[in-house]
Amino acid sequence: MKSLMTPSKVQITLNNAFMTNTSANSKRIAKNTLLLYVRMLFMMAVSLYTSRVVLNALGVEDFGIYNVVGGVVAMFSMLSGSLSAAITRFITYELGTGNKENLKKIFSSSVTIQIGLAALIILLAEAVGVWFLNVKMNIPDARIVAANWVFQFSILTFAVNLISVPYNASIIAHERMSAFAYISILEAVGKLAIAFLIIISPMDKLIFYAVLMCAVALIVRFTYGAYCKRHFEECTYHFIFDKDLLKRMFGFAGWNFIGATSAVLRDQGGNIVINLFCGPAANAARGIAFQVNNAVYGFVSNFMTALNPQITKSYAAGDRNYMLTLIYQGARLSFYMLLLLSLPVLVNTHYILGLWLKIVPDHAVLFVQLVLIFAMSESISNPLITAMLATGKIRNYQLVVGGLQMMNLPVSYLLLRMGMFPEVVIVVAIAISQCCLAARLVMLRGMIGLSVRKYMKKVYINVFVVTVIAAILPFLLSMKLEESFLNFVLLCFVALICTVMTIYYVGCDKTERQFILSKLHTIKNKLNKK
């Protein structure tokens, strides 16, 4: 019959449908990434400027105290991080399957879990955190009262952000990045206002800063809630007690707790041991380094925020080939974006910090350089982590990789106790990051059929060669030239040109170069028409 399709026609139709769907997904990723970049450019400028104003207003000691006290509170995210990852995974996965009733149950259950968890963390923080702050922390006696006020408001801010997790996850899962971008810009504007208000503060500047940061968190939380309730039908909260669903979510979160805990111990635990052995000034240097890292790494995190839902949804839909393609390309692109932004900073670190800050804490230069190297080391693992979470089968993975990451804190503690410099904490993190990458590749080979050889060729060796070639000329010039504004501009220009040219000619294959040229040709034609 004419109405019946021959096998060849069926195959052609399926192939066309696949190509159309893939093209639509790629365009969505590109559009969402662009929106998040616009957001990031604004937030980066605000963040770098506010860091300078806040550091000058508070002074090195108070700035260090705020960072380390916030780190004590963040230690309690060991409890929340695993559940937050579970919520994000379950909401995104259910959107991939298209089951709206289950999606409503998951959202309401998630909010209930987060409210209960926030109450538990407040109790634990008051019982354990206050004791640790007053008895164990290295804080000057004259500032201990202010540190306690900061601790209380940091706990409240943390609890508010915790309850926002299901709402944030819904926006990202629905890929409504415009809303995510606008609300984040609102948050950045609030923090910019804080930077100016603490200069004219009528009370203790450190306490006033903590109060205002908490106020901004509350405003952002209610904005997320209002947007989600209006645009997503599943985001209306009802108390639901689904025993089977809670069991699955807590089972996932229970094993993911190992990974979440290891990351917190690495970052905030490292910050605390720096305080114990080196004092608040070293915490200030580390805080500056992570401000720079957050500004630079934000570009990669924005890309991954746009990419992650597609990895999870493609796994849920059973499209393994597309998922693996996203993993390889996502890892390389993440690294390239970070290298493009980091290399000019790495060759100009001392000059940039002097230009940016009136007060440059000791150790800040090396902290910044090492933190950026660590970020590049981690960037190629991000798509692997998303793919692992998508499977839901994470027990063995977390035991191996999480166990490796937990070595950060004891190794850092021992080295600092032996009298090593504070930056050694980041050196340890870089070394263990590489060990974790190797473990991820081996584990994911069995979990999702990832080819280790293909990953090493397409990603690891590729980005290593690109980095070495791109960095040679900028670093040679930085050793020859004296610090000045003109030389700073020259080094940035050389670093950018070397990176772009190396990525294009060495990092991209023939097909990717043709794709780039076609896109540039399209843009040129559009500009000519105007």
Side-chain angles (χ1 to χ4, degrees), residues 497-525:
I497 292 297
C498 287
T499 305
V500 170
M501 297 300 287
T502 308
I503 289 171
Y504 181 78
Y505 286 107
V506 180
C508 296
D509 59 29
K510 185 177 179 181
T511 304
E512 290 167 338
R513 286 195 291 271
Q514 289 175 344
F515 175 78
I516 292 169
L517 287 174
S518 68
K519 288 297 179 184
L520 290 175
H521 186 68
T522 303
I523 293 169
K524 182 181 176 181
N525 288 338

Side-chain angles (χ1 to χ4, degrees), residues 401-473:
V401 178
L404 279 172
Q405 280 204 128
M406 283 190 176
M407 295 303 295
N408 273 282
L409 186 59
V411 173
S412 297
Y413 180 88
L414 288 173
L415 291 175
L416 286 173
R417 190 177 180 85
M418 291 167 59
M420 297 288 284
F421 50 92
E423 296 92 331
V424 74
V425 173
I426 312 299
V427 175
V428 171
I430 293 168
I432 293 179
S433 170
Q434 291 297 297
C435 296
C436 289
L437 173 61
R440 288 185 184 105
L441 292 175
V442 173
M443 300 293 289
L444 287 172
R445 180 173 58 185
M447 293 171 69
I448 62 171
L450 178 77
S451 170
V452 176
R453 180 179 294 180
K454 196 172 182 180
Y455 182 91
M456 293 299 292
K457 181 181 177 181
K458 282 182 167 289
V459 180
Y460 196 87
I461 295 173
N462 182 292
V463 301
F464 179 79
V465 172
V466 167
T467 303
V468 172
I469 295 173
I472 291 172
L473 182 58

Side-chain angles (χ1 to χ4, degrees), residues 124-152:
L124 286 173
E126 294 294 347
V128 179
V130 172
W131 167 81
F132 186 80
L133 174 67
N134 288 277
V135 176
K136 296 293 183 180
M137 296 296 292
N138 185 2
I139 294 172
D141 292 339
R143 303 303 294 150
I144 196 67
V145 173
N148 274 276
W149 277 106
V150 169
F151 185 75
Q152 296 300 323

